Amino acid sequence: MTRVVVISVLLFCSLADSARIKRRVASQRYANPSSYSGQTCASMDGSCVATEGECANDVVPGLGCNESPLCCLPSVLPEHIGGLEGLKGPIPGTMIVGGTEAARNRWPWQVSLQTSQGFHFCGGSLLNDQWVLTAAHCLASRSIGRVVLGDHDLTTHQGTEVIRGVSHVVEHPSFQNYGSYPNDIALVKLDTPVSFSAAVQPIYLSNEGDSFNNNECWITGWGETRNTGDPTKLNELVIKVIDQQSCARQWQPTAILNTHICVGDGETGACSGDSGGPLSCMKNGKWTLAGVTSFGVAGCETGGSPDVYTRVSMYRPWIEYVIRRGGRK
Ligand SMILES: [Ca+2]
């Protein structure tokens, strides 16, 4: 147990080319309107929006929109993004060992929890227009000064960022900040709701009983890369969910609880600064939040010990209860 440390960061790993290209295509869909020939807003399950602000950075001007609407805002759900072969994504982030820099705003539910001075210390996931899910241990030693949504490069302003303060923080009442960090989950209520855009979208919450062992899953974050990448940019890693028994064997059997979900091989995965961020899995055609980054082995690049995430599906009743009560105790 002495090797257990809280993760506050993630790395990224290489993925199958096909998956990478597919995702890149999805994330590039706003960048090159001329490549949408033959597409309509409706065929992308999009909607025409009539105010210029809603179009910002989502430039698919007039695609299937008549008269006053300015642009089409395509659905961000990946199942609607087929048929755009030929678009090329950004150059892969070759500096990241086994991983890559995420395409901009590919993970629009990813948020950065920062101090009031703008120091990123943890990630989180947007659940609706005012609530973010993160890890309770993120809040044990720091308080959130601001929540940044819609970001990619923490060092530059790209125009998609949305910044909010915090009105409520609700840690799970049974969280323990030691051992294997049971119930490492917390909810953060933004001081004012956000509007959704291509860069800011919620992720579906997993249901009780959901399993993700055979799903496409990714982890993301601005955490340490151990000199394998640039942590000022959002990094991503496709990662395999490890079955509970194997994970318990590789850790200590008592360390892995049924409220945990394990991923990866320990060589690549989460690291300091990634804590609280999402394990996003494709389930029934929707990106679904399967886990919250909790802990791993110190040093991060340690084979044989999967990263351990809080299994979100086990907490759905608690999450709904807290949100329904608006954060009141
Ligand atoms: Ca930025």
Side-chain angles (χ1 to χ4, degrees):
M1 196 55 69
T2 54
R3 296 166 67 218
V4 177
V5 294
V6 164
I7 287 176
S8 293
V9 185
L10 296 177
L11 312 189
F12 303 89
C13 200
S14 62
L15 34 138
D17 282 346
S18 58
R20 178 164 53 200
I21 290 167
K22 180 180 166 194
R23 291 279 77 77
R24 286 256 166 68
V25 167
S27 58
Q28 277 287 288
R29 63 196 182 280
Y30 303 110
N32 188 358
S34 64
S35 299
Y36 288 89
S37 61
Q39 295 281 326
T40 67
C41 198
S43 73
M44 294 190 292
D45 197 35
S47 54
C48 294
V49 296
T51 64
E52 198 167 358
E54 289 175 285
C55 294
N57 301 301
D58 310 322
V59 276
V60 187
L63 189 68
C65 303
N66 297 319
E67 300 173 359
S68 58
L70 293 170
C71 62
C72 170
L73 190 66
S75 168
V76 298
L77 297 181
E79 65 266 31
H80 300 300
I81 308 300
L84 299 182
E85 275 69 6
L87 285 183
K88 298 297 183 188
I91 303 300
T94 52
M95 66 289 187
I96 300 172
V97 173
T100 189
E101 177 185 335
R104 184 167 295 191
N105 304 134
R106 173 180 167 186
W107 309 103
W109 45 88
Q110 170 85 53
V111 310
S112 167
L113 305 185
Q114 301 184 0
T115 64
S116 51
Q117 288 76 39
F119 172 75
H120 165 88
F121 63 90
C122 267
S125 301
L126 187 66
L127 300 184
N128 64 18
D129 66 354
Q130 204 164 5
W131 284 91
V132 165
L133 194 66
T134 187
H137 80 257
C138 286
L139 311 170
S141 58
R142 287 193 174 95
S143 56
I144 305 169
R146 62 183 201 169
V147 178
V148 181
L149 308 95
D151 208 353
H152 174 71
D153 182 341
L154 295 178
T155 64
T156 63
H157 179 73
Q158 71 237 35
T160 55
E161 299 92 339
V162 175
I163 299 176
R164 289 289 185 272
V166 170
S167 70
H168 293 75
V169 171
V170 184
E171 293 180 13
H172 194 280
S174 301
F175 167 62
Q176 295 178 358
N177 196 23
Y178 57 89
S180 54
Y181 305 95
N183 309 301
D184 191 7
I185 194 166
L187 280 156
V188 175
K189 188 180 186 183
L190 306 177
D191 57 359
T192 51
V194 292
S195 298
F196 299 143
S197 67
V200 178
Q201 290 278 332
I203 184 170
Y204 286 94
L205 206 51
S206 51
N207 289 304
E208 288 183 87
D210 275 352
S211 162
F212 296 94
N213 290 42
N214 297 307
N215 297 84
E216 177 192 345
C217 295
W218 294 72
I219 57 176
T220 46
W222 285 281
E224 283 184 32
T225 63
R226 312 296 292 182
N227 297 319
T228 65
D230 179 358
T232 67
K233 316 274 198 332
L234 185 66
N235 277 278
E236 66 182 11
L237 171 66
V238 69
I239 202 155
K240 182 172 169 44
V241 173
I242 307 300
D243 73 78
Q244 215 72 357
Q245 290 74 23
S246 300
C247 185
R249 275 197 303 274
Q250 293 178 73
W251 282 88
Q252 299 171 20
T254 55
I256 304 305
L257 311 172
N258 62 1
T259 51
H260 288 144
I261 181 169
C262 302
V263 297
D265 59 7
E267 288 287 352
T268 55
C271 198
S272 299
D274 290 321
S275 280
L279 170 64
S280 305
C281 297
M282 179 55 69
K283 181 116 183 144
N284 300 326
K286 296 172 180 170
W287 286 111
T288 301
L289 187 63
V292 169
T293 317
S294 184
F295 68 90
V297 175
C300 304
E301 296 164 297
T302 47
S305 298
D307 294 332
V308 184
Y309 281 62
T310 304
R311 186 179 287 273
V312 171
S313 60
M314 307 281 286
Y315 294 92
R316 184 168 181 133
W318 175 75
I319 291 167
E320 292 180 341
Y321 172 81
V322 171
I323 292 178
R324 270 199 307 274
R325 289 185 57 79
R328 300 186 305 277
K329 302 288 186 193

